[in-house]
Amino acid sequence: MIRAAVLPAVGAPLEITGIELPEPGPGQVRVRLAAAGVCHSDLSLSNGTMRVPVPAVLGHEGAGTVVSVGEDVTHVAPGDHVVLNWAPSCGSCHPCSLGEVWLCADALTGTANLHARTRDGRDLHPGLNVAAFAEETVVAGNCVLPAPEGVPLTDAALLGCAVLTGWGAVHHSARVRAGETVAVFGVGGVGLATLQAARIAGASTIVAVDVSPEKETLARAAGATEYVVASETTAKEIRKLTGGHGVDVAVECVGRAVTIRTAWESTRRGGRTTVVGIGGKDQQVAFNALEIFHWGRTLAGCVYGNSNPAVDLPVLADHIRAGRFDLGALVTERITLDGIPGAFENMLAGKGGRALVVFA
């Protein structure tokens, strides 16, 4: 019996409760969590913006130590430190055959599996495959990757989503080049990772945008050279900061129609807007045909940073060990499992960066 954060139904409050976790079967790995990040996607799962089978154990950004392995697992062993990969690629579907593993058609099929049971016998699913909001979890073997050497295991949890997403948005989706100007909309965990990635890419002007004036210090520490409090004049302010042209690249980390539209308007003619934020179906973004032609801008979606975790984690590890990327700078609150509902409330209120659940 272990403790976990369970979503009993869409829209229902989380339950921090005991669950019965089975031993790993063939091809599975049991992991004792060191830490798990509280991501906005977890909030999106709880309120139904993203749909997965429920009841479920939430949490998809985590790292820990292998406790035991099932038959046929040879790439990790008990005692190994690992990062959880919530979107494993199958390697054989059409996107995977094109090398676009972040779009794997089968990445989330594991969410339909039965993962554990509550004290009263209810079957539970693994939220986004890995069920990281728990003291321990059992996952498919392809959901674990070796944790980078020299990186504290608690900090390594952030590599499982926020850092890969922010890094990939800059380096894979928008392909920011040295000297280009960048605007990042939303200074949460992913936004802070995006700012650091833009700085590492050599961006000249880096504008951070958020509704909260209190986040300016966080943003500047991550690499922002300018800070704009979101308003109806945000696009004009960004153009003013860039010689009247607009930025070369805008990265939207919020997932709201108005923010996506503003990010697009903030880019120069021929600029690039990458949308990382996950919005609901009710968030409709409108463009007219003439402005699409005239501005020549590119608007692109970005899933998991368009990253290949097996390839990107070693690259990020080099930057972390060299002091160029600061994982700790993303974290504004370290909590226990019982603090997750409060972390959700802070996200809804636009407060703070990443909340990190740290297990004893």
Side-chain angles (χ1 to χ4, degrees):
M1 187 72 69
I2 61 167
R3 295 184 78 231
V6 173
L7 177 69
V10 172
L14 282 183
E15 297 176 357
I16 312 301
T17 185
I19 66 171
E20 296 178 0
L21 189 67
E23 290 302 314
Q28 292 185 320
V29 178
R30 185 169 182 140
V31 177
R32 180 179 299 114
L33 273 296
V38 183
C39 180
H40 203 280
S41 296
D42 298 309
L43 182 60
S44 295
L45 291 172
S46 71
N47 64 25
T49 299
M50 296 171 62
R51 291 280 184 174
V52 293
V54 291
V57 178
L58 296 188
H60 63 280
E61 179 183 87
T65 303
V66 175
V67 175
S68 57
V69 299
E71 295 179 13
D72 304 323
V73 175
T74 58
H75 67 297
V76 293
D80 287 353
H81 288 178
V82 294
V83 173
L84 299 180
N85 176 19
W86 64 270
S89 59
C90 69
S92 58
C93 68
H94 184 59
C96 285
S97 71
L98 297 174
E100 297 173 350
V101 297
W102 56 91
L103 298 178
C104 176
D106 298 317
L108 295 182
T109 56
T111 61
N113 295 339
L114 295 182
H115 175 70
R117 284 188 172 88
T118 60
R119 292 178 187 272
D120 58 6
R122 287 174 294 162
D123 288 332
L124 299 172
H125 299 278
L128 282 180
N129 283 323
V130 298
F133 287 168
E135 294 168 330
E136 295 187 10
T137 188
V138 173
V139 300
N142 59 355
C143 286
V144 296
L145 295 165
E149 293 184 7
V151 178
L153 196 53
T154 50
D155 290 348
L158 301 168
L159 294 169
C161 184
V163 175
L164 277 173
T165 300
W167 175 265
V170 169
H171 291 271
H172 300 319
S173 180
R175 298 180 183 273
V176 175
R177 299 180 291 267
E180 289 193 311
T181 53
V182 176
V184 177
F185 288 75
V187 184
V190 173
L192 289 168
T194 304
L195 289 167
Q196 291 202 52
R199 173 177 47 76
I200 292 170
S204 53
T205 299
I206 304 175
V207 185
V209 182
D210 198 276
V211 295
S212 172
E214 289 75 21
K215 290 188 180 182
E216 181 172 359
T217 301
L218 279 173
R220 290 190 181 275
T225 61
E226 309 289 345
Y227 192 83
V228 173
V229 178
S231 70
E232 294 180 355
T233 63
T234 294
K236 291 182 179 179
E237 291 181 60
I238 291 175
R239 286 196 293 272
K240 185 177 180 180
L241 290 169
T242 52
H245 305 294
V247 290
D248 297 299
V249 170
V251 182
E252 198 273 358
C253 304
V254 181
R256 295 182 61 228
V258 64
T259 317
I260 294 170
R261 175 73 203 199
T262 302
W264 189 80
E265 291 177 355
S266 299
T267 61
R268 65 169 174 83
R269 195 174 187 189
R272 306 169 325 265
T273 299
T274 289
V275 179
V276 173
I278 301 173
K281 293 180 180 179
D282 60 324
Q283 296 294 309
Q284 299 290 317
V285 188
F287 305 91
N288 67 59
L290 180 59
E291 64 180 333
I292 291 174
F293 161 78
H294 173 75
W295 289 104
R297 295 165 173 148
T298 301
L299 179 68
C302 179
V303 178
Y304 203 5
N306 293 8
S307 292
N308 181 339
V311 174
D312 289 317
L313 283 183
V315 174
L316 279 161
D318 286 342
H319 287 296
I320 295 165
R321 287 190 290 263
R324 291 184 292 269
F325 199 106
D326 183 1
L327 290 174
L330 275 63
V331 180
T332 53
E333 186 180 19
R334 294 177 185 266
I335 60 175
T336 64
L337 276 173
D338 297 288
I340 295 175
F344 279 8
E345 291 177 8
N346 285 339
M347 279 193 287
L348 284 169
K351 296 179 180 179
R354 202 45 136 217
L356 188 68
V357 180
V358 179
F359 297 89

